[in-house]
Amino acid sequence: MEWMLLPLKRYADFSGRSRRKEYWMFALGLLIFYAVLTALIVMAGGFGSPAEGRGPSAFGWILITLSVLAVLALVVPSIAVQVRRFHDQDKSGWFVLISLIPYVGGFIVLVFMCLPGTSGTNRFGPDPLDPNSVKELSGIFN
């Protein structure tokens, strides 16, 4: 659970490096969060029935509004953790913009997110997998 919340603790931190575990646990946390939120909206009748001419219920509108606010609030940490993953591979954070390429951009970024980072210190900081640099990063977890 700690790894899922770490990008939220480093909300708008675009510097440094993030390991794969941090990225993928955050992605899993987002997937679970959005699945639960969508299930709640569906159970509340949030999407209504166009055939009957009904729209969402009042509770459905509240849930839809909360989900839109949650998506907007989670955009910054999602981009920040991607930038730090690119930094871990000694690439510029601007590589995040590859995802804007239609059809293939998202797949290319997905492949980059699966690649291991560079060993040792690079221009973006110490290796997050190095036991000696864990002392430097331990303040983040507290």
Side-chain angles (χ1 to χ4, degrees), residues 23 82 96-113:
Y23 175 80
Q82 272 189 344
V96 170
L97 297 178
I98 292 174
S99 63
L100 298 177
I101 298 171
Y103 307 114
V104 296
F107 180 71
I108 293 169
V109 170
L110 175 70
V111 170
F112 276 125
M113 294 299 108

Side-chain angles (χ1 to χ4, degrees), residues 69-124:
L69 292 175
V71 167
L72 292 175
L74 292 171
V75 164
V76 173
S78 298
I79 294 172
V81 76
Q82 272 189 344
V83 166
R84 290 192 308 268
R85 273 298 300 141
F86 280 119
H87 287 176
D88 191 36
Q89 299 165 14
D90 205 17
K91 293 178 177 44
S92 170
W94 290 102
F95 272 63
V96 170
L97 297 178
I98 292 174
S99 63
L100 298 177
I101 298 171
Y103 307 114
V104 296
F107 180 71
I108 293 169
V109 170
L110 175 70
V111 170
F112 276 125
M113 294 299 108
C114 293
L115 295 174
T118 56
S119 298
T121 302
N122 67 17
R123 62 187 167 141
F124 297 105

